[in-house]
Amino acid sequence: MVNFLKVAPSTDPVPQEELLSYVRRLNDCADFIHCDVMNKNFVCKDSIDENVIKKIYLKTLLPLDVHLMVNEPLKIVEKYIKAGAQIVTVHYEAFKNKKNLIKCLKLISKNNAIAGIAINPDTEITEVMPYIAYADLVLVMSVFPGLSGQPFKESTYYKVKKLKQIRDDYGAHFKIEVDGGITPEVSKNLKVLGADIIVSGSYIYNAENKAKAIEDLK
Ligand code: DX5
Ligand code: ZN
């Protein structure tokens, strides 16, 4: 079966004053805009919030894939959906009480958005297995969240392979997304292993020709 890999350029490496023109340039060549939200609690960096997401929403034709690197996001997911997010992904590690993770994934789905669960490089798939049933998408972090430009962690390959196997074994339909340090060579391997969406920050941002960079990642 042919696997059409989708590419989601991320907002993290882009200075805020360039962000709106950057997303405009991607209209013809990207599949999603991956919006990296940080508020200095889950990671030490601060980035964009729902007000910036609203501005991005008005500038792009592409669906917004919002990655919330925020602790205890249950109370804020709805405002990101109202701002225009089509995918809302929350971190497994961001919930002290995992019952709130389930509530959060259900709340995202109830608001007709795609519910994603993200896992850090040091979180095992077996640990998140009980929660995957509530998610439409699993985001495998191939770097520690908080900074673009880090090298891809090879241990990600095993996780993607395992998720694909779980999906096949249980007849599940969740999408597999991978985020961090992705180059065309890495992307080729991820595609073979069963990834559906790859996020790319610095590779696309640093490329002169964005359309060609996206094509190379596919
Ligand atoms: C990391 C972010 C990523 C980041 C990826 O905290 O979640 O989305 O922008 O950037 P690269 O591709 O440069 O690793
Ligand atoms: Zn991200």
Side-chain angles (χ1 to χ4, degrees):
M1 196 180 81
V2 184
N3 178 11
F4 294 101
L5 192 68
K6 306 263 191 216
V7 174
S10 77
T11 55
D12 185 54
V14 190
Q16 280 215 29
E17 62 277 12
E18 282 178 37
L19 201 49
L20 299 180
S21 59
Y22 185 70
V23 298
R24 273 225 138 141
R25 280 178 76 184
L26 297 168
N27 263 340
D28 301 336
C29 49
D31 297 296
F32 297 93
I33 299 294
H34 179 90
C35 303
D36 282 314
V37 174
M38 310 175 215
N39 67 349
K40 274 194 174 157
N41 66 31
F42 184 70
V43 293
C44 41
K45 203 170 146 183
D46 201 5
S47 69
I48 56 174
D49 60 10
E50 77 278 9
N51 294 316
V52 179
I53 304 278
K54 280 182 197 162
K55 290 183 188 155
I56 296 175
Y57 182 70
L58 291 177
K59 288 282 173 201
T60 184
L61 304 171
L62 302 172
L64 304 185
D65 166 26
V66 173
H67 178 193
L68 292 176
M69 288 167 271
V70 169
N71 277 328
E72 305 299 341
L74 180 58
K75 290 206 175 93
I76 62 164
V77 288
E78 281 178 301
K79 64 183 182 188
Y80 281 91
I81 296 167
K82 281 197 189 101
Q86 182 162 326
I87 303 175
V88 178
T89 298
V90 294
H91 267 265
Y92 168 76
E93 302 84 6
F95 293 87
K96 262 206 186 113
N97 180 347
K98 301 301 179 201
K99 281 189 183 154
N100 286 334
L101 167 61
I102 297 175
K103 268 193 196 164
C104 197
L105 294 168
K106 283 186 173 172
L107 184 61
I108 297 167
S109 301
K110 199 180 129 203
N111 281 276
N112 299 316
I114 294 167
I117 177 168
I119 53 170
N120 275 346
D122 55 1
T123 300
E124 288 300 325
I125 300 287
T126 44
E127 202 182 321
V128 290
M129 261 298 270
Y131 307 97
I132 288 178
Y134 299 93
D136 306 303
L137 176 151
V138 180
L139 174 61
V140 183
M141 290 305 297
S142 39
V143 298
F144 279 100
L147 192 66
S148 45
Q150 303 175 71
F152 176 84
K153 286 187 180 295
E154 301 267 326
S155 53
T156 310
Y157 289 136
Y158 167 75
K159 283 187 173 172
V160 172
K161 195 172 164 191
K162 181 139 187 159
L163 281 169
K164 164 83 164 61
Q165 197 181 354
I166 292 168
R167 185 166 68 184
D168 292 348
D169 287 354
Y170 291 88
H173 299 286
F174 60 84
K175 300 288 181 202
I176 304 170
E177 182 175 18
V178 186
D179 184 3
I182 299 177
T183 60
E185 196 192 341
V186 168
S187 166
K188 203 167 142 193
N189 297 330
L190 290 171
K191 184 174 172 176
V192 171
L193 292 172
D196 304 289
I197 306 168
I198 55 145
V199 177
S200 167
S202 30
Y203 184 78
I204 297 172
Y205 180 65
N206 294 332
E208 198 63 45
N209 184 338
K210 313 291 180 213
K212 179 168 186 308
I214 291 171
E215 212 38 58
D216 291 347
L217 287 165
K218 291 193 174 199

